[in-house]
Amino acid sequence: MSEKIERLKTLIIGSGPAGYTAAIYAARADLKPVVYTGMEPGGQLTTTTEVDNFPGYPEGIDGPTMMVQLQQQAERFGTEVRIGMATAVELSDTVGGIHKVTIDDNKTIEAETIIISTGASAKYLNIPSEQRLRGGGVSACAVCDGFFYRGQDVAIVGAGDTAAEEASYLANICNKVTMLVRKDHMRASKAMQHRVESLKNVEIRYNTEVDEVLGEQVVEGLRMVNNETGVKEDIAITGLFIAIGHKPSTDIFKGQLDMDETGYIITKGKSTKTNKPGVFASGDAQDREYRQAVTAAGTGCMAALDAERYLATVETPQETV
């Protein structure tokens, strides 16, 4: 027997700060939102030990606790949170049209509006010692975690504008920053290169890669290898920052939503509107610039408001089929 198709007013795909904030606003607007969490309920913050830069937490808070509280707040207003992953979508081109989403390859949801908050994931080197020490000194966000290494020696891996920006940020608060560049040149803009090169406490190592992150429970050092000579060298550090890019979790929307070359969903102007009516994108799925919890939450609020205004302009179809 085929399963009954469910019709929703607002479907939220993803459960990070953007998704849960969208759910809070949508629920308060009586949009009866349903959140599907995806494979990582709570998003990237569930892998973060301390969050010190989100407003309202003067003593800081650990990432998993913060996401549980955001979920509880969304549920308080009537949001239904479900474990499940969107595996296929069929988005309507028509204003007032119905969008179809397949959950876990076997359940069909029809939605009048969709808020995408699937986030993005940082790219890592994928060497065992790096993966083992994620959260113990290995981070993919200097702006998020750099504060904990104030006055200490750290290293950063990367050669683009993001790596250069994060190296500059770390140089302001850390004793020394060793920057590892895989090739004999940086990919960053000339202006960013000049900025990093002018910092006295930043040492740039070209043709250099990570061989192993040293330490049992926390980062204690780094073994580097020159990829031209094969010579290895150990340095003492307490933090390693990986800045080799992010990949937005937007693959299932390719071919239907406008995206940039990396896969970030393109939204219109200062709104969260996509090229499909009734489909809105928030958080790191559409933000390649800031990628912070607080900015993700802000765009989640915007997406819910955009969805509410959109629904007010179209005839509301029957809610169940």
Side-chain angles (χ1 to χ4, degrees):
M1 179 182 294
S2 62
E3 186 174 359
K4 180 181 178 182
I5 296 175
E6 185 177 11
R7 173 73 59 83
L8 300 176
K9 190 180 292 288
T10 298
L11 171 64
I12 299 173
I13 306 174
S15 56
Y20 283 139
T21 303
I24 291 168
Y25 276 80
R28 286 169 58 89
D30 200 28
L31 302 188
K32 300 178 176 61
V34 170
V35 172
Y36 274 96
T37 62
M39 291 189 67
E40 189 177 43
Q44 292 185 76
L45 279 187
T46 57
T47 64
T48 303
T49 51
E50 295 292 332
V51 180
D52 267 349
N53 55 4
F54 198 95
Y57 296 98
E59 303 301 322
I61 187 172
D62 67 89
T65 298
M66 178 181 172
M67 297 318 301
V68 167
Q69 291 180 355
L70 277 176
Q71 178 179 339
Q72 291 172 340
Q73 187 174 0
E75 290 175 329
R76 172 189 164 201
F77 297 113
T79 299
E80 184 177 350
V81 178
R82 302 175 182 173
I83 303 297
M85 182 175 179
T87 51
V89 295
E90 183 181 331
L91 304 178
S92 172
D93 293 313
T94 306
V95 174
I98 299 300
H99 310 288
K100 296 181 180 180
V101 178
T102 303
I103 304 296
D104 296 328
D105 293 319
N106 60 21
K107 178 181 176 64
T108 301
I109 299 287
E110 293 186 343
E112 299 171 37
T113 56
I114 293 177
I115 295 175
I116 299 167
S117 52
T118 48
S121 57
K123 296 179 181 177
Y124 283 88
L125 304 172
N126 292 321
I127 58 177
S129 56
E130 172 213 44
Q131 294 299 304
R132 178 170 53 82
L133 290 169
R134 283 177 60 177
V138 175
S139 168
C141 182
V143 176
C144 308
D145 300 326
F147 174 83
F148 301 110
Y149 303 92
R150 182 179 293 274
Q152 302 174 43
D153 291 354
V154 301
I156 184 168
V157 180
D161 280 344
T162 297
E165 289 172 4
E166 296 207 337
S168 300
Y169 174 82
L170 291 168
N172 287 328
I173 58 177
C174 296
N175 179 58
K176 180 181 178 181
V177 180
T178 301
M179 187 174 189
L180 277 60
V181 177
R182 184 168 56 90
K183 297 184 178 181
D184 61 358
H185 62 278
M186 294 178 65
R187 292 184 293 102
S189 64
K190 291 296 183 182
M192 290 305 303
Q193 290 184 48
H194 294 328
R195 182 194 300 182
V196 173
E197 291 167 351
S198 70
L199 299 170
K200 295 182 179 179
N201 62 337
V202 174
E203 179 183 3
I204 304 175
R205 299 286 194 102
Y206 292 102
N207 297 116
T208 303
E209 301 180 43
V210 175
D211 184 65
E212 186 176 358
V213 187
L214 306 176
E216 290 300 320
Q217 303 298 322
V218 296
V219 173
E220 297 175 0
L222 182 68
R223 180 164 297 144
M224 307 177 296
V225 59
N226 185 296
N227 55 31
E228 286 192 327
T229 65
V231 173
K232 297 181 181 181
E233 180 182 351
D234 291 359
I235 59 172
I237 60 168
T238 54
L240 174 64
F241 297 89
I242 310 299
I244 58 175
H246 287 74
K247 184 183 186 305
S249 303
T250 58
D251 285 352
I252 65 168
F253 305 106
K254 286 183 177 178
Q256 298 190 64
L257 294 181
D258 292 341
M259 301 180 183
D260 68 11
E261 68 281 359
T262 308
Y264 288 95
I265 297 172
I266 296 172
T267 52
K268 299 179 180 180
K270 294 182 178 180
S271 76
T272 62
K273 299 175 183 177
T274 69
N275 59 301
K276 299 289 186 180
V279 179
F280 309 92
S282 63
D284 287 6
Q286 54 85 49
D287 174 20
R288 66 180 302 158
E289 295 295 331
Y290 302 104
R291 298 192 298 269
Q292 299 297 302
V294 67
T295 51
T299 56
C301 163
M302 293 165 58
L305 294 175
D306 285 342
E308 180 185 6
R309 292 165 183 167
Y310 168 81
L311 286 170
T313 65
V314 298
E315 180 179 351
T316 305
Q318 185 179 343
E319 293 194 11
T320 58
V321 175

